[in-house]
């Protein structure tokens, strides 16, 4: 249970770090704002034309009598929007990280240098395009895994009582796990840790990961909150990655006192 508190603490430590480094915070906002505009446009379009799409996709129901036709297509429209919203929450981080790869790499390296005992940060020897390819490929794999979980949880949602109580809670824990993987990948990929090993690291400290990712999954339901949290979340995930990797970390307050 201690790890839950430690993981939650990294959320605050990351936000505190960017609050002290205003320039990094400003640059870190740009990718989230771009992603928010794209996602908002897609969800508005779905809200406007989702019912038409469901009607086009279910021609077999055209001859159904009222009220069954309206109830059936209305339910499908709600389900489509709910699944799209869940997918948006899960993929928001992946898309933002992909768009903002150079920004977040720079931010993560700055955090590493600031908290490393020797003031250095691991650096990737790969070209930027290669890093973008690996990041995009791994993000797609994570999204597929998350989508499979999403379909499974959606099906379990129809189970009486359990579907309305335990399943939503489980859904936030699953979402939190995958969000943490995406965020920690910024620092871990720079260290040469491949996707399979990253997942093994996260599974070895599940409560730590849940402590960080589950509150984040709840916060990310509010789009504007997600945008403003992203810089600090990347900083916090870098600190969490150091913990997972067993690296010594110097508290920023202690370093400032030493420098003084």
């Amino acid at each position: 249970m201690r790890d839950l508190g430690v993981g939650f603490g990294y959320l605050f430590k990351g936000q505190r770090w960017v609050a002290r480094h205003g320039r990094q915070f400003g640059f870190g906002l740009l990718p989230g704002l771009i992603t928010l505009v794209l996602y908002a446009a897609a969800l508005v379009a779905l809200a406007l034309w989702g019912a038409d799409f469901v009607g086009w996709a279910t021609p077999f129901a055209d001859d159904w009598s009222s009220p069954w036709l309206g109830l059936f297509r209305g339910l499908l429209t709600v389900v489509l929007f709910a699944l799209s919203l869940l997918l948006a929450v899960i993929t928001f981080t992946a898309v933002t990280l992909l768009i903002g790869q150079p920004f977040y790499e720079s931010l993560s390296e700055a955090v590493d240098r600031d908290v490393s005992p020797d003031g250095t940060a691991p650096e990737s020897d790969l070209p930027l395009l290669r890093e973008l390819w690996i990041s995009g490929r791994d993000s797609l794999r994570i999204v597929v895994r998350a989508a499979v979980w999403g379909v499974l949880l959606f099906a379990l949602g129809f189970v009486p009582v359990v579907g309305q109580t335990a399943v939503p809670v489980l859904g936030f824990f699953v979402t939190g796990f995958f969000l943490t993987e995406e965020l920690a990948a910024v620092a871990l990929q720079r260290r040469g840790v491949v996707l399979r090993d990253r997942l093994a690291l996260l599974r070895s400290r599940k409560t730590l990961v849940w402590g960080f990712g589950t509150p984040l999954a709840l916060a990310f339901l509010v789009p504007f909150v997600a945008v403003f949290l992203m810089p600090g979340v990347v900083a916090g995930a870098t600190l969490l990655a150091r913990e997972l990797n067993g690296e010594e970390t110097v508290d920023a307050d202690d370093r400032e006192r030493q420098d003084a």
Side-chain angles (χ1 to χ4, degrees), residues 82-83 86-87 90 140-158 163 166-179 181 199 203 206 210:
L83 285 176
L86 175 63
L87 189 61
I90 293 173
L140 181 60
R141 290 174 177 175
I142 291 299
V143 168
V144 170
R145 284 178 167 86
V148 171
W149 271 98
V151 171
L152 176 62
L153 291 172
F154 177 74
L156 290 175
F158 290 100
V167 170
V169 174
L170 180 59
F172 280 113
F173 277 91
V174 171
T175 303
F177 181 90
F178 287 121
L179 281 177
E181 194 289 325
L199 290 172
R203 289 175 185 136
K206 287 191 182 75
W210 288 333

Side-chain angles (χ1 to χ4, degrees), residues 142-255:
I142 291 299
V143 168
V144 170
R145 284 178 167 86
V148 171
W149 271 98
V151 171
L152 176 62
L153 291 172
F154 177 74
L156 290 175
F158 290 100
V159 178
V161 183
V162 174
Q164 291 73 48
T165 54
V167 170
V169 174
L170 180 59
F172 280 113
F173 277 91
V174 171
T175 303
F177 181 90
F178 287 121
L179 281 177
T180 304
E181 194 289 325
E182 288 284 357
L183 291 159
V186 176
L188 292 174
Q189 184 177 313
R190 195 160 29 86
R191 289 162 166 80
V193 183
V194 298
L195 176 60
R196 180 182 299 178
D197 294 336
R198 292 201 300 268
L199 290 172
L201 270 178
L202 268 63
R203 289 175 185 136
S204 69
R205 302 280 299 276
K206 287 191 182 75
T207 51
L208 176 72
V209 172
W210 288 333
F212 183 87
T214 304
L216 196 59
L218 289 165
F220 273 22
L221 290 175
V222 184
F224 286 105
V225 170
V227 170
F228 285 99
L229 286 181
M230 271 301 291
V233 165
V234 172
T238 301
L239 298 173
L240 183 139
R242 294 181 65 88
E243 168 98 8
L244 289 170
N245 220 32
E247 299 174 18
E248 183 182 356
T249 296
V250 176
D251 188 87
D253 291 334
D254 293 339
R255 182 180 293 278

Side-chain angles (χ1 to χ4, degrees), residues 20-176:
R20 293 172 172 169
H21 301 78
R23 184 178 180 185
Q24 294 284 352
F25 177 74
F27 281 126
L29 285 178
L30 293 177
L33 289 172
I34 294 171
T35 307
L36 177 64
V37 170
L38 294 175
Y39 273 50
L43 288 174
V44 168
L46 185 63
L48 292 175
W49 294 295
D52 294 337
F53 173 79
V54 169
W56 170 83
T58 57
F60 57 86
D62 286 343
D63 297 329
W64 290 12
S65 60
S66 180
W68 304 115
L69 175 62
L71 288 174
F72 174 69
R73 286 182 171 167
L75 176 62
L76 284 184
T77 302
V78 171
V79 168
L80 176 64
F81 191 83
L83 285 176
S84 299
L85 190 59
L86 175 63
L87 189 61
V89 171
I90 293 173
T91 60
F92 181 89
T93 301
V95 174
T96 302
L97 290 174
L98 191 61
I99 292 174
Q101 179 83 6
F103 297 97
Y104 295 134
E105 282 286 349
S106 175
L107 190 155
S108 180
E109 286 184 22
V111 173
D112 268 324
R113 284 192 296 270
D114 193 41
V115 301
S116 175
D118 58 3
T120 62
E123 295 182 6
S124 173
D125 296 328
L126 299 175
L128 177 60
L129 289 179
R130 177 64 177 170
E131 285 187 0
L132 288 173
W133 162 253
I134 294 174
S135 178
R137 180 196 63 191
D138 290 350
S139 294
L140 181 60
R141 290 174 177 175
I142 291 299
V143 168
V144 170
R145 284 178 167 86
V148 171
W149 271 98
V151 171
L152 176 62
L153 291 172
F154 177 74
L156 290 175
F158 290 100
V159 178
V161 183
V162 174
Q164 291 73 48
T165 54
V167 170
V169 174
L170 180 59
F172 280 113
F173 277 91
V174 171
T175 303

